[in-house]
């Protein structure tokens, strides 16, 4: 019998762990790649994420779940995630190597 896990729950937990690394010191607007459609899922994610941010000064924070098609920053995050996935799941370091060499960053900035 195989182990089953909920990808949505894993995503939420991972995002909340990463949120602990984000220091908020001014009002902030955060874009999250839209992967959730139900209002309850979005609200649960937002609450977990907000509760884990390093926001000691209690600065106002707005979270928008957006389609990455409309935001270059989210497209870049998708590219980094996909490249990392290729490296670890398919043993293909080609794309991760491009990011490490900042070739992708130069293309994005131009």
């Amino acid at each position: 019998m195989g182990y089953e896990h909920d990808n949505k729950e894993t995503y939420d937990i991972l995002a909340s762990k990463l949120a602990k690394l984000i220091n908020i010191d001014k009002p902030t607007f955060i874009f999250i790649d839209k992967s959730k459609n139900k209002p309850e899922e979005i609200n649960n994610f937002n609450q977990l994420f907000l509760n884990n941010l390093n926001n000691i000064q209690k600065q106002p924070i707005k979270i928008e779940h957006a389609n990455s098609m409309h935001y270059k920053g989210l497209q870049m995050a998708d590219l980094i995630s996909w490249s990392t996935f290729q490296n670890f799941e398919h043993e293909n370091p080609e794309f991760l190597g491009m990011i490490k060499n900042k070739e992708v960053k130069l293309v994005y900035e131009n």
Side-chain angles (χ1 to χ4, degrees):
M1 182 162 45
Y3 173 75
E4 292 186 29
H5 64 278
D6 181 350
N7 287 337
K8 291 180 180 181
E9 182 179 355
T10 302
Y11 176 90
D12 292 358
I13 292 169
L14 179 58
S16 70
K17 298 287 184 195
L18 292 171
K20 291 180 180 185
L21 302 174
I22 301 172
N23 296 319
I24 305 294
D25 60 359
K26 60 186 173 193
T28 303
F29 196 82
I30 298 173
F31 287 96
I32 302 290
D33 196 2
K34 187 169 185 161
S35 63
K36 301 172 183 317
N37 296 312
K38 297 177 184 173
E40 181 180 331
E41 290 177 344
I42 293 170
N43 290 335
N44 289 342
F45 173 88
N46 287 355
Q47 195 60 47
L48 183 62
F49 192 82
L50 288 169
N51 287 342
N52 281 282
L53 285 170
N54 189 0
N55 187 11
I56 296 170
Q57 300 172 357
K58 304 292 184 206
Q59 295 289 334
I61 299 170
K62 180 165 175 38
I63 296 177
E64 180 178 333
H65 294 255
N67 185 328
S68 61
M69 178 186 288
H70 303 295
Y71 297 96
K72 288 182 181 179
L74 288 177
Q75 292 170 10
M76 197 65 175
D78 282 347
L79 178 62
I80 292 167
S81 297
W82 181 83
S83 298
T84 303
F85 173 80
Q86 290 299 313
N87 183 63
F88 291 107
E89 291 293 320
H90 299 292
E91 298 179 8
N92 179 1
E94 175 185 2
F95 301 101
L96 198 57
M98 290 174 69
I99 293 168
K100 285 181 182 176
N101 291 326
K102 300 181 183 170
E103 292 172 27
V104 173
K105 185 175 185 286
L106 291 175
V107 170
Y108 170 72
E109 288 178 349
N110 293 330

